[in-house]
Amino acid sequence: MTGICPLFSGSKANSTVITDNKNSIVVDIGASFKSFLLALDNIGESVENIKAIAITHEHSDHIAGLKTFLKNINVPVIASKKTADFLTDNKIITPKNDVILADSSEIVIGDILINRFPTSHDCIGSSGYTVSFDGSNFAGICTDTGFLTKEAKEHLKCCKTVIIESNHDITMLKNGPYPPQLKMRILSDLGHLSNTACAEFLPTLLESGTTRFILGHLSQNNNTPMLAENASNSALSAAGAKENSDYILYAAKPNGNEVMPF
């Protein structure tokens, strides 16, 4: 059974494992290496199955554990050239580590297919990914983006399962304690997807064949799981879909999530 699990998701740490129980791809490692190993063990996944780690971008909540990870597990790192350059320049990636530059070409590792697409965030070369173990069923990850790029939409519409950002409730953010400059950054095209922006795209994904939705990277200060889920369920209901019949949806917790099959 193939499955996907956000081991960590939110403002503090992000890491996702995609597996077929024999081979795994990890996307980001924003928690400590020790915490990552414990989270992996909690879902019954072996670190020996990891075939590569894909990095979305260089912000600390996505790479905090990467340097130690690579010291202990020498697997290829997948990243855009700009992200890879940053990681190399900051000595997180060393000459002994293999790097696979992700562009518009499909990456093949054994039977695993990996595609990168650009996202829109306030960093260089930020990325989302789709992964398949059989060439037909894909899972996609798209977080940390101010809006859904054309490429992101095209790639996600090919997925049966998606982790998609539902970062903030706009009203909570505007009325919350963040300074004005930070609020503007989050709301900008280089910030994060709101519950509303996420929800608006879900009916399109459902029509394209996506049936499993994981809402990811929820802000702990400007959102709640209930608000995120209600926004997405309302949009899907308005499109005539029924939860747990036509689709499955839940908001990822900061940690302790279960594996969702795809």
Side-chain angles (χ1 to χ4, degrees):
M1 178 187 76
T2 54
I4 184 170
C5 180
L7 300 174
F8 302 93
S9 181
S11 304
K12 294 182 178 179
N14 295 276
S15 183
T16 297
V17 62
I18 308 172
T19 180
D20 68 354
N21 294 323
K22 297 178 295 183
N23 304 287
S24 303
I25 297 295
V26 172
V27 179
D28 291 334
I29 178 165
S32 70
F33 182 59
K34 182 178 180 180
S35 296
F36 170 80
L37 290 181
L38 180 60
L40 204 63
D41 184 64
N42 285 341
I43 64 167
E45 182 63 28
S46 172
V47 71
E48 296 177 356
N49 290 343
I50 297 173
K51 298 298 183 277
I53 179 164
I55 300 299
T56 59
H57 63 293
E58 75 270 17
H59 288 167
S60 62
D61 58 321
H62 294 260
I63 65 164
L66 180 60
K67 187 172 183 177
T68 305
F69 178 99
L70 293 175
K71 285 182 179 179
N72 290 273
I73 305 172
N74 191 15
V75 298
V77 178
I78 300 169
S80 69
K81 185 180 186 306
K82 290 181 179 179
T83 299
D85 287 346
F86 174 92
L87 297 173
T88 301
D89 292 344
N90 287 272
K91 303 187 186 322
I92 296 169
I93 292 176
T94 67
K96 75 173 185 178
N97 300 127
D98 295 328
V99 178
I100 300 174
L101 296 180
D103 50 26
S104 59
S105 302
E106 191 166 61
I107 297 167
V108 181
I109 300 176
D111 294 329
I112 308 171
L113 306 180
I114 304 160
N115 291 282
R116 178 255 176 189
F117 54 86
T119 55
S120 178
H121 202 41
D122 57 346
C123 60
I124 55 173
S126 62
S127 306
Y129 295 96
T130 65
V131 178
S132 176
F133 295 92
D134 61 9
S136 59
N137 293 316
F138 281 85
I141 299 177
C142 183
T143 65
D144 295 77
T145 189
F147 69 95
L148 290 165
T149 64
K150 176 183 177 181
E151 296 90 344
K153 291 179 178 180
E154 290 174 350
H155 280 81
L156 293 177
K157 284 192 292 185
C158 298
C159 296
K160 299 291 284 186
T161 303
V162 298
I163 296 178
I164 185 168
E165 181 169 58
S166 191
N167 177 257
H168 59 275
D169 174 81
I170 295 175
T171 300
M172 279 188 71
L173 174 63
K174 288 183 175 180
N175 295 329
Y178 283 6
Q181 186 174 359
L182 180 55
K183 291 179 181 180
M184 290 176 62
R185 175 237 171 198
I186 293 170
L187 290 166
S188 76
D189 282 352
L190 298 176
H192 292 275
L193 278 188
S194 67
N195 292 344
T196 301
C198 170
E200 287 176 348
F201 185 55
L202 298 195
T204 298
L205 286 179
L206 182 70
E207 185 178 356
S208 299
T210 307
T211 57
R212 298 178 180 90
F213 302 98
I214 303 173
L215 308 180
H217 211 291
L218 272 68
S219 170
Q220 293 177 272
N221 296 309
N222 303 302
N223 209 356
T224 69
M226 184 177 70
L227 285 172
E229 290 173 357
N230 285 349
S232 289
N233 280 324
S234 293
L236 289 164
S237 177
K242 294 182 179 180
E243 186 180 11
N244 298 323
S245 175
D246 298 313
Y247 68 92
I248 297 170
L249 179 147
Y250 73 89
K253 297 180 290 186
N255 55 64
N257 296 289
E258 298 181 358
V259 178
M260 177 179 278
F262 72 92

